[in-house]
Amino acid sequence: PSGKYFASLLFDCENQTAEKRQAEKFLGMDFSMHGMCVFSTGERAGYPMFYRNAEKKLAREQRKLSRCEKGSRNYQKQKKKVALYHEKIKNQRKDFQHKLSHSLAEDYDAVCVEDLNLKGIAGGLHFGKGIQDNGYGQFLSMLGYKLEERGKYLIKVDRYFASSKICSVCGHKKKELALSERIYLCECGNRMDRDVNAAVNILKEGKRIYKKCA
């Protein structure tokens, strides 16, 4: 790791404000476009993608709104209906994230994640709707303060750490790994879901960071 990377880790350690307990139970978590995130345990968050599921219905209601005369009574009525759909999706997402973040904060002493540039991912790969529907950034904020309240840790691994390319069993690093490759295959015989492999690597790197800061 570079000197800049070490400096960022030291800064994070020195700026812990709440009294912390010793971490014993760790979890690695990797961002996923589908289902929000994957855990080092092999489990998936299973986020229902509320916006995606309601997208057709929303589009239909938006078309009805566009056909209404702007400013008319029907326009105002339909505009309110569309707004209520969006509010429902927002509340469903928030409720799911609150329950999941509460569960993780209760069960684990430290959760290790990648410090991702979500805006860059959304714009660069044209995944805007998927990122917005996931609400991963909002979820991390919820998880962070719930862990903090309990004297626990949200450990952020550098975004340039090659979590997807490294074999979580033997440590071999692939030069290239296409997005289409959903199973990680290594010459050591490791065959694992790509996202789970990345989550395990994030867990290991998070533990390393924790030991350095402790």
Side-chain angles (χ1 to χ4, degrees):
S2 66
K4 185 177 180 182
Y5 180 28
F6 276 120
S8 70
L9 297 184
L10 290 170
F11 177 83
D12 289 341
C13 296
E14 291 166 359
N15 282 271
Q16 299 291 353
T17 54
E19 185 178 345
K20 295 291 186 180
R21 66 172 73 184
Q22 185 175 346
E24 295 178 357
K25 198 172 180 183
F26 289 75
L27 179 73
M29 190 166 75
D30 185 41
F31 168 74
S32 175
M33 280 299 303
H34 303 287
M36 196 166 69
C37 54
V38 177
F39 306 116
S40 53
T41 58
E43 298 173 293
R44 293 178 177 270
Y47 175 70
M49 305 297 286
F50 295 111
Y51 180 83
R52 290 284 187 175
N53 291 337
E55 199 168 12
K56 287 183 179 179
K57 188 180 286 186
L58 268 171
R60 186 167 61 246
E61 297 302 330
Q62 289 278 13
R63 285 195 297 271
K64 287 181 183 178
L65 179 63
S66 66
R67 289 196 292 266
C68 293
E69 185 181 344
K70 201 167 185 178
S72 68
R73 192 172 182 178
N74 284 340
Y75 177 86
Q76 295 300 332
K77 187 178 178 181
Q78 186 62 23
K79 186 179 179 182
K80 186 177 180 180
K81 191 174 182 180
V82 171
L84 285 173
Y85 270 118
H86 281 287
E87 187 67 22
K88 181 181 178 182
I89 293 166
K90 182 181 175 182
N91 290 337
Q92 286 175 322
R93 181 188 297 122
K94 191 176 288 187
D95 181 64
F96 179 90
Q97 292 176 340
H98 268 303
K99 287 175 179 174
L100 179 58
S101 58
H102 174 81
S103 175
L104 295 179
E106 284 288 306
D107 292 344
Y108 294 93
D109 301 321
V111 179
C112 312
V113 302
E114 277 188 298
D115 188 20
L116 295 174
N117 177 9
L118 294 173
K119 287 184 178 179
I121 295 172
L125 298 177
H126 309 290
F127 287 152
K129 285 185 180 179
I131 298 290
Q132 184 183 19
D133 193 11
N134 265 322
Y136 187 65
Q138 177 178 273
F139 170 67
L140 286 185
S141 295
M142 288 181 184
L143 180 59
Y145 78 71
K146 286 173 183 173
L147 288 165
E148 179 71 25
E149 287 173 349
R150 292 163 175 80
K152 299 181 178 183
Y153 304 82
L154 180 66
I155 301 172
K156 293 187 177 181
V157 172
D158 190 275
R159 70 186 60 170
Y160 298 110
F161 174 66
S163 60
S164 295
K165 292 181 179 180
I166 297 171
C167 174
S168 60
V169 175
C170 72
H172 172 75
K173 182 180 176 182
K174 291 190 175 187
K175 289 183 179 179
E176 299 294 335
L177 185 67
L179 282 172
S180 58
E181 294 180 58
R182 303 316 306 166
I183 300 296
Y184 188 94
L185 298 173
C186 182
E187 56 193 27
C188 74
N190 179 29
R191 178 185 175 90
M192 188 183 289
D193 179 281
R194 172 202 180 109
D195 296 330
V196 176
N197 181 71
V200 173
N201 285 324
I202 290 167
L203 168 66
K204 290 180 177 180
E205 179 65 4
K207 282 184 176 180
R208 187 193 70 79
I209 293 168
Y210 173 77
K211 286 177 183 177
K212 184 180 184 304
C213 294

